[in-house]
Structures are given as structure tokens and as C-alpha cells.
Amino acid sequence: FKTQYNFKTFNMANDLLHIYRIPGESLDKINRYLNNYSGIIVNNISTEYCYNIEVKPDQTLSAKDYKKLLWLFVETYQPENISNETFLDKISDVKTSNTYIIEVGPRLAFTTAWSSNCVSMCEGCGISSISRVERSRRYYIKFSSKNESNAKDFLQYFISYIHDRMTECVYDQQLTTFTNKSIVEVSSYEVIPLLESGKALLEKLNQQNGLGFDDWDIDFYYNMFANTLKRNPTDVEIFDLAQSNSEHSRHWYFGGNMVIDGVNKVGSLFSMVKSTLPKESNSVIAFHDNSSAIYGFTVPYFHPIDPTKPSQMIVSSKVLHPILTAETHNFPCGIAPFPGAETGTGGRLRDVQATGRGAHTLAGVSAYCVGNLHIPSYPLPWELDVNTNIYPSNLAKPLTILIDASNGASDYGNKYGEPVILGFTRSFGQNLPNNDRV
């Protein structure tokens, strides 16, 4: 690998180092964005990756290490596709009025897992001077004609599709530091005047901030602060209750005491579920945090004589118990489909490994139940009109969930070595007479 750049040393005193690679997004993915939008003609979309590299303040990146870095980032035998200058600026008409360049990347408040892996690889190659690397995606868009209104609408649509708003953001300009200067220092907390303003204030906060409280939650939390604690809550407490109360964290609900129509019921929802298991059954493990297991059978298995060092492989017989674990990631997948499904798969794999010594993952099953898909140019007779069947703006659209969550679940499993071999998909949407959406 030959580098074409004149490079001596680089110090992180004032700036980040940038390395660009083409192409960025695949053409298939770009065409999917375009096919989902009508009303404007795009002549050209070009993409590139930008690797934003932070060198440790007290160190320098040598020319030798820089050459290694280029070799890592190019990934293929195409060194002409990587440069320390952006490829998009070399496009002949990049400065014309009907062209735009958009850059999106991870939010800067936290170092991404991708960066951690990248830094580990650099250290494995002897590059010890790099502290952080974040990859952003840059898009060059050329419209057929100058039309500010249509272009603005398309750009808003395009940006919503190309980035995950929970974990990523749009960069208004090239990154020069990973310190987010747009974060304004605020007071440690704010007191919510619930006692003075009444329950209506909690209802307003619920709507404004997407806290996810239903009527019962609002009544319960208002009564707790107004009548039991007799004090105003802080904004930290309100947001903490919203997270604890989310679908993803509502385990307390299944183990709590049930009061129905003012009558205390014996047992909890979880105890009712457990009661379905007979005292004598084929279960080895049941209703534990990680996995369940049933009695298995004797099977031949291929293993090393001594797993602690290279040794001969032999076939033996052993009783193995099938185990099963399930992970629901409805809320994470609704907010950020791809990483939500990734962490869902990761959690399930973790649970299997945590079942006990000798527990191993074999295969995964994925299931998706979403609302009306509203596939562009493919209306389905049972779906409600797209203009009346409106889903919350703080959640991803059903079609996006179906595509990105499926990709995320498979992506994590493939990296780990566990295939998804089975699954199902269902879509359904209905508006009830009282306008509640199902």
C-alpha cells in the first residue's frame, strides 16, 4: 500500500484529523430513499465517509502510523478511494445554487461503540496516539432545477431517512473538536410547580416531552406528590419516572399488588403466569432472569480434549438441555429501530451466556408486529388513509421499523456468529370511534 500524501507528524493541539473514503452509502440504499419520495427530481447523489480522528493531546501521529491508519480505513485494494481531502468538493458543479452537501454523524456527548472498536484496532496495529475516531456520512445532492421550496421539503425528508435522530445529528459544519460547544450549561434541576398549577401541568408536560404517561399514571403521580409527599417534584424526578414507567422497564408492574375496583387481589400478574407450570414438569430452569431450560437428551458433540490449549478433537456423548430466552424491545425499536433491535439481540445473547456454565447460543428467531406500512406507490386495501392514520412524530414509521429493526437484529447476530433462522411479520392499524389508535 503506497500513500500519496506528504505527511510528517500531526498533533491534536488545535484540530481533528480528517480522512475521507468513497463510496459512503450503497446505491441500493440511496435509491430506496429516492423511491420513497415523489415531487422533485434529483439528478445526482454522491456519498463519502469522513473519519474524524482525535489524537491524544500530549502525543503526535507519526507518518508511519498515518500510513497504517490509511491502510485500516481503505479496507479494500483501492487506495485511490481514500484521501485527506473531501471527494465531494472535487465535483465540477459542487458550488452551483441547486446543489447541497449534508453531513450526519453520531452525537458527540458519548463515544460510540464503533469508535471504541476502531481505537482498539489501532492499538493492535501499534498506533497508540489516537484517543477517539468517529465516522460521519456526507451526501452531495444535485437537483434538476433551483426550487427552494421543493428542495427544502426534500432535504427535510432525506435527512429524516439517513440518520437516527436518537443517536445521530446533522453537522452544520466540519467537526473541529469532539467537544459539543452547543451544550449550554444549565442549573442542576428545576422544580415543577405542581402544587400551584395542579394536574393540568403534569398533563401538559406529558404531551410536550413525550413522557408516555396514561391517565392512570398522571392521577397516581399527581396524588403521590400533592397528597402523599406534599411537595413539588423536580424535572429530574419526572423524567426518571417516565423512564421507569416505560414499556421497556415496567417489570414492577408484573410483580406489584393488584387492586381491581378497590379490591386487593391475591398474588401478582407474574405469580399467575408462574402458576401455569405444574409442580412436576420437564423444566430444568423456569422463570429465572436469563433463560429457561427443559430436560434434553444424549447427543454426540465435537470438542477438544483440552480446551485450554491446542489439542486433539474428539466426538463424545453428553446430555444437553435445550434453553430458550426471549427479549422484547418494543420501545427501543420504536425510537431507534436499528440500534434498538441490535441491543435486543445482544441482550438475548447475553441472557443465554448467563444461564450457566456450558450455555451456548445456536440460532435466533425474530418477530415484528407493526402498524400500517403505507408503502410508497403500493397502497394496500385494508390500510387506513395515510393522512388520517398518523403515527407519533417521536416514533419511527412502521415501514422504517420493519426494515431497520430487521437489519439491526441480523447485523448483531451476524457479528456474534448467531444466525436468525425463523420469524414472522404482522402489520395492523385501526382508529377506534373515540379516535384512539390501535
Side-chain angles (χ1 to χ4, degrees):
F1 183 87
K2 294 183 179 180
T3 178
Q4 56 181 320
Y5 313 117
N6 295 321
F7 185 87
K8 294 182 179 179
T9 59
F10 183 85
N11 186 275
M12 182 48 207
N14 300 310
D15 210 345
L16 296 179
L17 173 64
H18 303 283
I19 295 178
Y20 302 87
R21 200 192 82 189
I22 56 172
E25 297 277 22
S26 68
L27 290 177
D28 289 341
K29 196 168 186 179
I30 294 297
N31 288 331
R32 176 153 60 89
Y33 298 148
L34 298 179
N35 292 336
N36 288 344
Y37 191 88
S38 59
I40 193 168
I41 299 176
V42 177
N43 280 356
N44 180 29
I45 294 184
S46 299
T47 66
E48 68 180 5
Y49 287 129
C50 177
Y51 299 97
N52 304 280
I53 304 159
E54 181 181 69
V55 178
K56 295 176 181 177
D58 58 341
Q59 298 188 27
T60 58
L61 182 67
S62 67
K64 181 180 178 180
D65 286 347
Y66 181 69
K67 186 177 179 180
K68 292 180 185 178
L69 206 57
L70 292 176
W71 179 82
L72 285 173
F73 288 148
V74 75
E75 294 186 13
T76 65
Y77 296 102
Q78 297 174 307
E80 68 275 8
N81 288 348
I82 195 165
S83 172
N84 57 357
E85 296 180 355
T86 171
F87 290 91
L88 301 186
D89 283 349
K90 299 176 183 178
I91 299 174
S92 59
D93 56 358
V94 70
K95 301 298 184 181
T96 57
S97 59
N98 58 333
T99 61
Y100 298 84
I101 290 182
I102 299 171
E103 184 172 4
V104 297
R107 294 183 179 273
L108 305 178
F110 300 98
T111 301
T112 63
W114 189 93
S115 174
S116 299
N117 289 335
C118 187
V119 172
S120 296
M121 292 177 187
C122 290
E123 291 175 347
C125 294
I127 308 173
S128 59
S129 56
I130 293 177
S131 58
R132 183 176 177 183
V133 182
E134 298 294 358
R135 186 178 69 176
S136 58
R137 305 181 301 280
R138 306 181 80 241
Y139 302 83
Y140 160 85
I141 304 174
K142 179 183 178 181
F143 298 109
S144 59
S145 61
K146 180 67 173 177
N147 188 318
E148 288 291 344
S149 178
N150 289 344
K152 183 179 180 181
D153 291 341
F154 175 80
L155 290 176
Q156 288 181 344
Y157 155 82
F158 187 74
I159 290 172
S160 70
Y161 260 85
I162 62 174
H163 85 298
D164 181 340
R165 59 185 173 178
M166 292 296 294
T167 60
E168 298 179 317
C169 62
V170 178
Y171 298 159
D172 295 332
Q173 57 187 5
Q174 186 181 58
L175 293 183
T176 58
T177 176
F178 287 136
T179 302
N180 191 346
K181 297 180 180 179
S182 64
I183 298 177
V184 180
E185 292 294 330
V186 296
S187 59
S188 57
Y189 63 89
E190 180 182 346
V191 176
I192 306 299
L194 204 59
L195 299 181
E196 296 80 3
S197 302
K199 187 171 67 174
L201 178 58
L202 188 56
E203 294 172 340
K204 181 180 179 181
L205 291 173
N206 182 48
Q207 291 295 323
Q208 288 180 342
N209 299 291
L211 301 179
F213 294 151
D214 58 24
D215 292 341
W216 186 92
D217 295 325
I218 291 175
D219 289 339
F220 180 83
Y221 292 132
Y222 175 75
N223 180 68
M224 180 179 69
F225 283 105
N227 301 319
T228 304
L229 300 178
K230 300 184 186 303
R231 67 169 177 83
N232 285 320
T234 66
D235 53 352
V236 176
E237 289 174 319
I238 294 297
F239 275 91
D240 182 64
L241 289 172
Q243 300 307 310
S244 303
N245 195 50
S246 73
E247 173 274 332
H248 192 57
S249 305
R250 214 165 187 172
H251 303 296
W252 58 268
Y253 186 85
F254 295 95
N257 296 326
M258 290 191 295
V259 181
I260 302 177
D261 295 332
V263 179
N264 289 316
K265 299 296 181 180
V266 178
S268 64
L269 289 175
F270 200 34
S271 65
M272 294 171 62
V273 174
K274 288 182 176 180
S275 67
T276 60
L277 181 69
K279 291 184 178 180
E280 295 185 4
S281 69
N282 66 337
S283 289
V284 179
I285 303 172
F287 304 116
H288 283 251
D289 283 342
N290 297 309
S291 297
S292 295
I294 59 175
Y295 284 101
F297 36 83
T298 302
V299 297
Y301 76 105
F302 194 50
H303 67 97
I305 294 178
D306 186 351
T308 65
K309 62 182 181 180
S311 63
Q312 180 185 351
M313 301 292 291
I314 61 173
V315 177
S316 300
S317 295
K318 192 172 186 178
V319 176
L320 296 181
H321 304 303
I323 62 177
L324 177 68
T325 187
E327 181 87 6
T328 59
H329 255 225
N330 300 334
F331 184 74
C333 288
I335 296 296
F338 190 95
E342 274 195 313
T343 51
T345 298
R348 181 175 50 75
L349 294 174
R350 174 207 59 217
D351 288 347
V352 170
Q353 295 288 300
T355 303
R357 184 163 39 186
H360 297 289
T361 57
L362 292 178
V365 177
S366 295
Y368 307 97
C369 297
V370 297
N372 289 321
L373 298 179
H374 297 306
I375 301 173
S377 304
Y378 190 69
L380 299 173
W382 58 84
E383 291 187 340
L384 300 175
D385 182 74
V386 66
N387 295 316
T388 60
N389 187 215
I390 300 174
Y391 290 94
S393 60
N394 61 328
L395 296 177
K397 298 294 188 292
L399 182 60
T400 302
I401 295 174
L402 205 57
I403 295 172
D404 290 350
S406 176
N407 291 340
S410 299
D411 179 77
Y412 199 106
N414 290 339
K415 290 174 179 175
Y416 186 87
E418 184 219 53
V420 175
I421 61 172
L422 193 66
F424 70 84
T425 299
R426 298 289 184 271
S427 67
F428 175 79
Q430 181 181 2
N431 288 342
L432 301 179
N434 63 354
N435 292 325
D436 283 349
R437 179 178 49 80
V438 178

